[in-house]
Amino acid sequence: MAATHIFDTPPEGVAADWTMRQDWQAFTPEQHRTWETLFDRQSAALGGYACRAFLDGLDLLRGLKPGVPDFAELNARLKLASGWEVVAVPGWIPNAPFFEHLANRRFPAANFLRPPEQIAYSEEPDMFHDIFGHVPMLADPAFGDFLVAYGEAGLRAEKLGASDYLGRLWLYTVEFGLVVEEGELRAFGGGLLSSLAETAFALTAPEPRRVWLDVERVMRTRYHFDAFQQTYFVVAGFEQLLRATEEADFASLYRKIASEPAIAPGDAWRGDVAYEGRLPTAAPWSGDGEAGI
């Protein structure tokens, strides 16, 4: 089934800024069970893979009433812990409002949940991906500030017609990023942490490249929509990620990248510095599972 929650203009019931009422009461018992199944399975499996900021941030979700999170209840906890809030959106929204929300510490979350038959694999980012995969990381101050800086950079990129380049930075960090903690590699990207199969692949399989973050390299690198990534980027910590974003001369990088060929997902680059440290000691990648979120 192809993705269906992609919009060019706000559908009925959605405001001009693309936000909408969550209408938590409308979620069915089956949807609440689906959420609980997903949450219990993923949170139990990630102990040896996820970074500490994510595992600590999961407490924001564990303290909520059972089932699909009520955004009003979640925001009462999240705002106090981080200054962020979640806003419900209908699905995949245009770049400009997305960047605007991030720049103002509002995290857009899809207001739909995958059906039970797609519980192991969703073809498009749903509420579980957005809330479970991303919200725990908002409680980390440096990571939260990185998202604000990213949103501000995105608004500038829109004016320069360079949003696609910046989108690659999002995908390879916020969705599929890796971080070193206590000398060992951990996942922090929401696309990884809401997909156990790709988390294990990214952290333990011999096949993918694991490369220290370089902003130019990331923004030149194409990526897969429907398969595991072939290259993953590593940061030493979230302060480094924030500095890399704040210090980058994005306008100059966009001009440079536009004049050079893109890098295929699995190709090497002349400036690559490979991560050669320890991988997790959790159960290694077995070759089972599907790519996706």
Side-chain angles (χ1 to χ4, degrees):
M1 185 182 75
T4 57
H5 295 83
I6 300 176
F7 302 94
D8 295 319
T9 57
E12 184 177 356
V14 175
D17 67 355
W18 289 85
T19 60
M20 62 188 297
R21 290 180 61 249
Q22 186 196 18
D23 196 13
W24 184 83
Q25 299 295 337
F27 287 96
T28 66
E30 181 179 60
Q31 289 172 314
H32 289 301
R33 287 193 296 271
T34 296
W35 175 276
E36 291 179 2
T37 298
L38 285 165
F39 186 91
D40 291 346
R41 184 182 67 184
Q42 289 296 106
S43 57
L46 288 173
Y49 296 126
C51 69
R52 176 52 53 192
F54 177 85
L55 295 174
D56 289 345
L58 275 180
D59 288 342
L60 289 168
L61 302 179
R62 288 196 177 98
L64 304 176
K65 57 179 172 279
V68 173
D70 181 338
F71 288 1
E73 182 188 12
L74 172 59
N75 282 336
R77 298 167 60 88
L78 181 61
K79 188 86 170 178
L80 184 63
S82 67
W84 281 81
E85 62 181 320
V86 171
V87 292
V89 296
W92 195 283
I93 67 174
N95 287 331
F98 180 75
F99 294 141
E100 182 71 28
H101 285 306
L102 292 180
N104 289 281
R105 294 187 182 270
R106 298 187 298 264
F107 193 88
N111 197 31
F112 70 94
L113 190 65
R114 68 191 71 180
E117 61 269 20
Q118 293 183 31
I119 197 166
Y121 168 65
S122 175
E123 293 188 2
E124 55 182 335
D126 69 338
M127 185 189 298
F128 183 77
H129 166 266
D130 289 342
I131 299 298
F132 181 91
H134 292 301
V135 166
M137 290 299 303
L138 298 178
D140 183 89
F143 189 81
D145 288 346
F146 160 69
L147 289 187
V148 172
Y150 180 90
E152 293 169 345
L155 292 172
R156 296 191 294 271
E158 279 287 283
K159 297 176 182 178
L160 298 172
S163 296
D164 286 349
Y165 300 139
L166 203 64
R168 293 171 181 171
L169 179 62
W170 175 275
L171 183 126
Y172 279 119
T173 58
V174 181
E175 297 293 353
F176 296 105
L178 305 177
V179 63
V180 178
E181 285 188 347
E182 298 179 356
E184 194 166 274
L185 209 56
R186 291 287 185 267
F188 71 87
L192 292 177
L193 295 170
S194 57
S195 171
L196 181 59
E198 187 160 7
T199 300
F201 175 79
L203 289 173
T204 69
E207 294 89 350
R209 296 181 184 277
R210 301 176 182 93
V211 180
W212 288 99
L213 178 77
D214 178 282
V215 172
E216 178 187 347
R217 202 286 202 213
V218 169
M219 293 197 301
R220 288 186 57 189
T221 306
R222 297 196 301 269
Y223 53 86
H224 292 301
F225 279 105
D226 56 0
F228 292 159
Q229 302 307 317
Q230 294 175 264
T231 301
Y232 297 94
F233 292 91
V234 180
V235 297
F238 302 125
E239 291 286 354
Q240 181 209 7
L241 181 60
L242 174 61
R243 286 196 304 273
T245 305
E246 291 180 329
E247 295 172 2
D249 182 351
F250 283 111
S252 296
L253 284 173
Y254 299 149
R255 290 193 295 270
K256 181 179 181 182
I257 294 167
S259 66
E260 298 182 358
I263 303 169
D267 284 358
W269 184 58
R270 62 182 181 274
D272 281 352
V273 178
Y275 170 78
E276 297 179 346
R278 295 204 319 267
L279 301 179
T281 54
W285 163 246
S286 67
D288 300 324
E290 295 184 85
I293 49 182

